[in-house]
Amino acid sequence: MVNGFVLFNGLVYSSFKPLVRAEAMVVVGDRVVHVGNESRALKIADASGLRRWT
């Protein structure tokens, strides 16, 4: 199992100037590997065996 998690079912702000919002974020180890679409984040999480946090 990979050490990491996915946050979804909410809004992730990746920037405030300009305001950039995303649906989900995937973290593996100590790195953010995806910020964006929720369905893609869940595919990455399922393929990697990551834990889902809502």
Side-chain angles (χ1 to χ4, degrees):
M1 180 189 282
V2 176
N3 182 23
F5 58 91
V6 60
L7 299 170
F8 66 101
N9 197 22
L11 288 176
V12 176
Y13 293 91
S14 61
S15 173
F16 288 104
K17 288 189 179 184
L19 185 63
V20 178
R21 290 180 280 196
E23 298 174 342
M25 178 173 72
V26 180
V27 176
V28 176
D30 61 351
R31 297 182 185 260
V32 175
V33 296
H34 174 76
V35 175
N37 182 285
E38 182 176 317
S39 84
R40 180 157 168 80
L42 293 176
K43 286 179 186 176
I44 293 168
D46 291 342
S48 302
L50 296 178
R51 186 174 181 181
R52 293 184 181 192
W53 295 83
T54 58

